[in-house]
Structures are given as C-alpha cells and as structure tokens.
Amino acid sequence: MIVLLGVLVVIVGFATRRNPLLVVGVAGIATGLLGGLSPQKVIAAFGEGFASSRAVTIFAITLPVIGLLERYGLQEQARRLITRFAGLTTGRFLALYLLLRQITAALGLQSVFGHAQTVRPLAAPMAEGAAERKNGPLTDKAREKVRSFAASADNVGLFFGEDVFLAVGSILLITGFVNTTYHTHLEPLQLALWAIPTAICALVIHGGRLLRLDRQLERELGGADGKTGSKTGSRATAETAAKNSPKGRAAAKRAAKTAPKNSARGTTK
C-alpha cells in the first residue's frame, strides 16, 4: 500500500497548482523508489516509456506551424468565414463540431481534431465570431465562456467517441486485464458496441448544453445592453422633467431673450 503514496503526491501537487510535468515526474520517481526499484531502474523506466511513446512529442512540430499561421491571420480568417453562414450560431457550430469530433474519434482518427491544431486556431475564433455577429462585442467573461465551451466540445467528443474504435488503447487495456485476471474471453468488439449508447448519450446531453449557450449569451449580453439603455433612458427622463419644471421654463425664457441679443452683436461685429 505504501506504493500508492505516489497518488498522494499527484493530488497534493495539483491541489497546490504546481507544474503538472514536475508533479507527474516526482510522483513516478517516488512510486518507483517506494516499490523497491533502484534509481538506475527508475531512470531506465522513464527512458523506455519515452522511447515507446515518442509520438507524443509531435506537438513540437505542430506548434510552430500553428503559431506562424496565427501570426498571418488564421484566426481573423476563421471569424470572417463564420460570418458568411447566417444561420450558424455559436451553439449550433459547437454542436456540429462535437458531432464531427465523435465520428472521427470513433473511426480512429483522434489526431484529426484537437486543442492545439483545431480548437485554439479555428473552432474558438469561429465560435466567438458567431457570438459577436449575433450579440455584438463580447465581454471578457462571455469570451472566456465561449472558449471553454469550445474546449469542452473537443474533450467530450474525443473521450466518448474513441471508445467506439476497436483498436484504441483503453479498449485493449480493459480486454487484456479482464481476460488475464478473470480467465475469460472478452472481445474488443463487445466493449466497442457497449460504448455506442454511452457516446450517443454524451452527444445528446452535451449537445443540448451547447445549444443552450446561445440563450445564455443573449441573456447575459442583452442584460448588459439593457442596463446601459435603462441608464440612458433614466438620464433623458430626468433632463425632460427638469426642463418642464418651473425653474426650467424660466431658464428657457431667459435663454430665448438673450439669444437674439447675442446674435445681433455677432452680426454687428
């Protein structure tokens, strides 16, 4: 049980908002040492894990490319593109993105979409553009809300869509563990079929949340406009009431009497 102290290291590190890479590394080292491994074997385990999963470092190539595209106006072009589709609101666009993300993940194409290559440079700016077209300029709170919903559409679509694919790592891990531990013969197809209802429920539930985002933005931004309008209206009402009061009428008469004199002086000069 002492080996599970590595999990405690992860919990404490994330709770104190430490660097995630540092937290996971320290937790792995602590778990290895508590499990009786020598420091050399712990380092070897890290090296073997990196060598077998070095494809995860592909982001080092994609990030500079995406950075150059953003520098030359990728996000601005995405916002212009979404303005051409009048009926495509923020919620509808993100719901469509959720559906596409689930379908591609179910086909094993997990890397087609993603936060780095799709959400930040394309999906989030297009969602913001759709919201600005309908509700006007966005507040900082509304903009962050749209971005968070765009990220959640990618997360939910990938998480519940990839389990439908037969050769995904989680399916193979479950079948291998169950067959080895319980001496059964569980096929990956059986798990994949049972993942379909879960993926459909996730699509319906989160898709409904995305569609409700349009009403939430309209209520929040419309409320802000309403407050501004009410302040302007109350100010105008106060000015009208002041003009109609006896003092206001007297001041208006004095201004009317002095106006012809001032105009005559200006003409004489």
Side-chain angles (χ1 to χ4, degrees):
M1 294 295 293
I2 195 173
V3 180
L4 296 179
L5 289 177
V7 179
L8 180 62
V9 174
V10 174
I11 296 174
V12 173
F14 286 164
T16 55
R17 299 180 181 275
R18 302 298 179 182
N19 189 311
L21 183 60
L22 180 62
V23 171
V24 174
V26 172
I29 295 173
T31 303
L33 296 177
L34 293 174
L37 297 178
S38 63
Q40 292 81 3
K41 290 185 178 180
V42 172
I43 296 175
F46 272 95
E48 292 175 0
F50 177 80
S52 60
S53 305
R54 56 181 177 271
V56 298
T57 59
I58 195 67
F59 73 90
I61 300 176
T62 59
L63 285 182
V65 175
I66 295 172
L68 285 174
L69 292 175
E70 289 187 3
R71 179 179 177 85
Y72 287 97
L74 178 62
Q75 293 190 1
E76 287 75 10
Q77 293 299 326
R79 287 190 176 93
R80 292 177 185 174
L81 178 62
I82 198 66
T83 56
R84 299 179 183 178
F85 302 94
L88 198 59
T89 62
T90 303
R92 293 174 184 173
F93 169 73
L94 293 180
L96 178 62
Y97 180 84
L98 171 65
L99 176 62
L100 293 176
R101 185 58 163 148
Q102 273 200 344
I103 293 175
T104 54
L107 296 175
L109 304 175
Q110 286 90 353
S111 300
V112 172
F113 297 99
H115 289 281
Q117 63 267 36
T118 308
V119 175
R120 173 183 162 79
L122 292 175
M126 293 177 75
E128 293 175 21
E132 291 173 348
R133 183 192 60 206
K134 183 178 180 181
N135 302 299
L138 300 179
T139 61
D140 292 338
K141 182 179 179 180
R143 191 175 302 276
E144 292 299 326
K145 189 171 189 176
V146 171
R147 292 175 180 176
S148 64
F149 269 88
S152 70
D154 189 273
N155 286 338
V156 174
L158 175 63
F159 186 84
F160 291 97
E162 66 178 359
D163 289 339
V164 182
F165 185 57
L166 298 178
V168 72
S170 59
I171 295 293
L172 298 178
L173 177 63
I174 293 172
T175 54
F177 176 79
V178 171
N179 292 336
T180 304
T181 306
Y182 299 101
H183 305 288
T184 59
H185 186 67
L186 183 65
E187 293 292 338
L189 180 60
Q190 295 175 285
L191 290 178
L193 291 177
W194 279 104
I196 294 176
T198 308
I200 294 175
C201 291
L203 176 64
V204 172
I205 294 172
H206 195 60
R209 294 182 65 223
L210 294 174
L211 293 176
R212 288 202 307 270
L213 177 62
D214 292 328
R215 292 195 295 270
Q216 294 175 6
L217 292 175
E218 186 175 359
R219 184 167 56 251
E220 292 177 5
L221 299 175
D225 294 341
K227 290 179 182 178
T228 305
S230 62
K231 291 181 180 179
T232 305
S234 61
R235 191 181 300 121
T237 304
E239 292 176 358
T240 304
K243 290 180 180 179
N244 293 331
S245 64
K247 293 183 179 179
R249 292 174 182 174
K253 289 181 180 179
R254 287 195 297 270
K257 291 179 181 179
T258 56
K261 296 179 180 180
N262 294 334
S263 61
R265 290 175 184 173
T267 304
T268 305
K269 290 180 180 180

